[in-house]
Amino acid sequence: MMVPIALMILGVLAAAMAPRLMARSDWPDREPVLALWVWQCVVAGVLLCCVLAMSLSAAAAWEAVRSPVFGFAPRVVVEAYALNAYGPWAGVLALLLAGGGAWTAVALTREVRAARARLRQCRADLLRRAPLMPGEEPAGERLVVLESERPEAWWLQRASAQLVITTSALRRLKDRQLDALIAHEQGHVRARHDLLLYCSSALASGHPQIRVFAAFRDQVHRLVELAADDAASRRFGRLAIALALIELNEDRGVFGPCPPQLAEVPARVDRLLAPAPRFTAGRRLRMTAIAALVPAVPLLVTFIPGLTALT
């Protein structure tokens, strides 16, 4: 049972060390897109460890699973894993991991349903605040302007994304600031940040005791905003998006003592006005490649006995 145990140890080490290493690093704020990639690779590596350990344990415990797992592998490869020596713990481990996977699927389904319910509620509120005129057909306009004294803007996710902006925001924002705000929201849509948010929330809510999933959720919520800020700043400048953030949030008290969830706005403004130097293209490429190796390690650990037997 050495391979499943090695995979579980590897997954536990990655889950325990990754949040600490990322928390001690200052580069994620400089390279939020790269940081999102690293987090995804770490979480994928942890999940892959669990899936591979479950597959090998189930193959050792039940003959009905062994054939699909090993397929047409030569007999010498199957013997290299010594499945008959795993003992009764193989079935227990496989059932535990399968239960965890099923619970993750339930949590993801619940998160998607909750997101769809919120979307339906948003659509209903939007229709109530901006009703169709008699004889008007819903044409799916990309822009909806709401009468409101509160400056707000957001994308309504649907078949065709729709930008909702209030009249107060239009009065406060100058042309370039408004363009930067729209570019920020478009950055979320193009990168499909909503999918990342769904998956991270599902993992964190389904397994609150696993620290790496909670850290993944918290960091995704923060990093997607930084990534969208950068997307807007590349088109319209850092000053424009910083001023847009100030205009939209200054009446909410976020630039004084405020709850932790609102304290990110001043930090985002400071980051835009005093940017740290970015990594070179070569360094970003190297870190991207290194992060991609994280999910490859469980695969290598899993295939080493079979490859050794073939050679």
Side-chain angles (χ1 to χ4, degrees):
M1 202 171 178
M2 290 301 298
V3 176
I5 291 177
L7 288 169
M8 293 306 300
I9 293 174
L10 182 62
V12 169
L13 288 176
M17 294 177 60
R20 297 179 183 178
L21 293 176
M22 294 295 285
R24 294 175 183 174
S25 304
D26 60 354
W27 65 265
D29 286 356
R30 299 160 60 186
E31 298 289 347
V33 175
L34 178 59
L36 285 170
W37 169 250
V38 172
W39 272 109
Q40 290 175 76
C41 288
V42 170
V43 171
V46 173
L47 295 176
L48 198 55
C49 285
C50 296
V51 170
L52 292 173
M54 178 191 68
S55 300
L56 288 177
S57 300
W62 301 292
E63 185 66 34
V65 180
R66 187 176 306 178
S67 297
V69 169
F70 285 90
F72 299 99
R75 185 178 183 84
V76 66
V77 171
V78 180
E79 292 175 350
Y81 288 89
L83 299 177
N84 295 327
Y86 278 23
W89 286 104
V92 176
L93 179 60
L95 289 175
L96 287 175
L97 292 174
W103 183 247
T104 301
V106 170
L108 181 58
T109 302
R110 186 172 55 197
E111 185 67 27
V112 171
R113 286 182 176 177
R116 289 180 176 176
R118 290 193 298 269
L119 179 58
R120 287 193 297 268
Q121 184 62 43
C122 287
R123 289 175 180 171
D125 291 343
L126 183 62
L127 188 60
R128 177 180 56 83
R129 297 173 66 183
L132 297 175
M133 299 298 291
E136 182 182 2
E137 295 292 335
E141 290 85 355
R142 298 296 299 274
L143 176 65
V144 176
V145 178
L146 294 180
E147 182 70 33
S148 176
E149 293 302 319
R150 187 171 182 176
E152 291 180 312
W154 67 92
W155 277 100
L156 188 61
Q157 294 289 345
R158 53 195 302 174
S160 58
Q162 192 173 50
L163 177 63
V164 182
I165 190 166
T166 63
T167 53
S168 178
L170 290 176
R171 287 193 297 268
R172 283 172 176 254
L173 299 178
K174 296 185 170 87
D175 291 344
R176 194 167 184 83
Q177 296 167 14
L178 180 60
D179 290 338
L181 173 65
I182 294 174
H184 172 97
E185 298 298 337
Q186 287 175 334
H188 285 310
V189 175
R190 290 196 183 103
R192 295 309 308 266
H193 287 158
D194 56 316
L195 298 180
L196 264 180
L197 294 171
Y198 293 158
C199 294
S200 62
S201 296
L203 288 171
S205 62
H207 306 281
Q209 71 279 8
I210 301 180
R211 182 183 175 187
V212 68
F213 294 152
F216 180 49
R217 175 198 56 197
D218 296 340
Q219 290 301 309
V220 163
H221 280 75
R222 187 178 68 89
L223 290 171
V224 294
E225 295 299 333
L226 300 185
D229 287 344
D230 288 350
S233 67
R234 283 193 292 269
R235 294 180 60 187
F236 300 101
R238 291 180 173 271
L239 181 60
I241 186 63
L243 291 176
L245 287 173
I246 293 172
E247 291 292 342
L248 291 176
N249 294 281
E250 63 178 350
D251 292 342
R252 302 179 186 180
V254 300
F255 295 100
C258 60
Q261 62 269 24
L262 298 178
E264 291 294 335
V265 176
R268 288 167 59 191
V269 173
D270 292 341
R271 173 181 175 272
L272 289 166
L273 296 179
R278 295 192 62 192
F279 290 163
T280 63
R283 186 173 181 182
R284 289 197 300 272
L285 182 60
R286 289 194 298 271
M287 292 187 68
T288 300
I290 292 172
L293 293 177
V294 175
V297 173
L299 293 173
L300 183 62
V301 171
T302 302
F303 293 138
I304 280 178
L307 294 175
T308 304
L310 288 175
T311 57

